[in-house]
Amino acid sequence: SSDLEMLIALLKAKELFTDTLSTAYADNLYLLGIHYNNRALYDDAIETFNTCRRLYLRIPEQRKAARAFYNMGLAYYEKKDYNTAQYIFEELLSDAFLDPALHNACYLQLAHVENATKGIDEAERVLELVNIYLAGCTTEKERVPGYALKGIGLYYVHKNDSAFAYLEKAHRLTDDLSIKILAIKGLEWVATHLKQYQAAWNAELLNKQYQEERAKQLSQSEITQIRLEHNDEIQNQRYHSKVSRIVFTGISLLVIVIAVIVIVIIQRDRRREAYYLQKYDDLIHKQIS
């Protein structure tokens, strides 16, 4: 896929940078972290975002550093380290350098954390955070992730008609599998509660289909391919670098040897010339005497 090809290209590009304290290098790491997240390589994503965040702070690029921190929070959430994710999103709400859209998105992510950790027990809090998020959105596309979670929250508080409307809208308006899975799961719950068993069955089948598609996206064979291609590239670069060093060393030694030979020959010729000149002078002095 193009996403996989981009990830491999970024891994190769990372090895080619000579200036690892530049904005361009940090930008490469940031994009690499995004693709690690897309591929569910969350530990790699966290490490990469943390590194590029430190680089951005040194450069300094505070806005980019805040964006990297936000994506690091997403990786912690997907890794199910909810406490760390919550800490990051709460910290970012007081970060003046965070982009307004991402600042608003922190409320949605905090709602996800509440839903993942407490579920129905914090339904009102989930709805409160989602409503803050939706109020801050400027386009329908931005609202779609909020619709899915709001539908879940409304289901928790037994407002099933409204829940169905939000969940159906979220499912219909997005191509993001994560949002589709959340929405269709909620639709299955609502349909079951309303005793619409055929609709619940259809939702369950769709959920399985989406889960399979998601699993295919994150297939271990592709992740292994990334690792192998990355390792092969590094080994090739090391090999070429080693060959280049050997060739350079050989040429340098050859030049030194030739230079030494030339110097020896020149010194020998000079000594010979001095010797014969001295003999000639001696002969002249002898004849004069």
Side-chain angles (χ1 to χ4, degrees), residues 149-164:
L149 197 52
K150 184 165 184 176
I152 297 293
L154 289 168
Y155 165 75
Y156 287 154
V157 295
H158 309 297
K159 296 181 179 179
N160 292 299
D161 290 339
S162 298
F164 182 89

Side-chain angles (χ1 to χ4, degrees), residues 4 9 13 40-41 50 67 74 82 91 104 118 127 130 155 168 178 181 192 240 248 250 252 265 276 286:
L4 179 61
L41 302 170
N50 195 33
R67 197 184 312 156
L74 294 183
Y82 299 122
E91 281 289 303
N104 188 46
K118 299 169 186 173
L127 286 171
V130 172
Y155 165 75
E168 191 279 328
S178 298
I181 288 169
T192 301
H240 291 309
F248 177 77
S252 299
I265 292 172
Y276 285 115
K286 187 177 181 180

Side-chain angles (χ1 to χ4, degrees), residues 34 37 50 118 149 155-156 174 179 188-189 195 240:
I34 295 291
N37 257 354
N50 195 33
K118 299 169 186 173
L149 197 52
Y155 165 75
Y156 287 154
T174 188
I179 299 173
E188 183 183 347
W189 294 346
K195 298 182 180 180
H240 291 309

Side-chain angles (χ1 to χ4, degrees), residues 10-18 25 28 230 233-234 237-238:
L10 288 166
L11 284 166
K12 292 178 180 178
K14 178 186 172 187
E15 303 302 323
L16 299 177
F17 274 94
T18 54
Y25 180 71
N28 185 86
H230 183 211
E233 183 65 22
I234 291 174
Q237 288 173 1
R238 287 175 178 169

Side-chain angles (χ1 to χ4, degrees), residues 239-274:
Y239 171 75
H240 291 309
S241 178
K242 184 177 180 180
V243 170
S244 298
R245 285 197 301 271
I246 292 171
V247 171
F248 177 77
T249 303
I251 292 173
S252 299
L253 289 173
L254 182 61
V255 169
I256 291 170
V257 170
I258 292 172
V260 169
I261 292 172
V262 169
I263 291 170
V264 169
I265 292 172
I266 291 172
Q267 290 296 329
R268 186 191 64 184
D269 289 345
R270 284 180 177 175
R271 283 196 299 270
R272 281 181 179 176
E273 184 181 5

